[in-house]
Amino acid sequence: MSNILTALLAAGFPSLGVTTLAEVEPMRTRAEHLGYSTAAYRGIGAIEIAAAGGILMGGTRPSTGMAAGTGPVLSMSGAVAGHLRRGDGIPEIAPAAGTALVAAMYTATPAGAS
């Protein structure tokens, strides 16, 4: 189970982070919609990339994996809160909520919590 969760997070966060850092149009639109500046949103992208690296290290350094898994839980929980503040519906909220859940499960597994 831990390997599957690691793969999901390690695959998703670098691509999400890179598109955020590159300021591709959908990310600029999301940042604006949620009330973030482009610079702040780019900072979130850098954190997403760093989290992926830490999650990958979790297999050999469990404390690093646990710490890195906590970041996505917090950032995606913040994304859910942002969408709720804007009155968004389930289609907008579900990706962040699902990612927060996967990250929480990862953090609770042996690779994330040993």
Side-chain angles (χ1 to χ4, degrees):
M1 173 73 117
S2 167
N3 290 338
I4 293 169
L5 297 171
T6 299
L8 287 170
L9 292 171
F13 270 88
S15 60
L16 187 59
V18 167
T19 58
T20 302
L21 282 173
E23 297 180 25
V24 297
E25 181 53 37
M27 292 303 175
R28 285 194 309 265
T29 301
R30 260 189 218 134
E32 183 179 320
H33 172 71
L34 293 172
Y36 292 108
S37 69
T38 304
Y41 218 61
R42 288 184 74 195
I44 292 169
I47 291 168
E48 291 165 345
I49 292 170
I55 287 166
L56 285 172
M57 291 175 57
T60 57
R61 296 177 178 251
S63 59
T64 300
M66 184 177 180
T70 303
V73 172
L74 296 173
S75 68
M76 292 297 108
S77 297
V80 168
H83 284 293
L84 289 171
R85 242 188 348 262
R86 295 291 181 192
D88 292 339
I90 290 177
E92 294 82 17
I93 296 169
T99 303
L101 180 61
V102 169
M105 290 169 49
Y106 165 82
T107 302
T109 63
S114 299

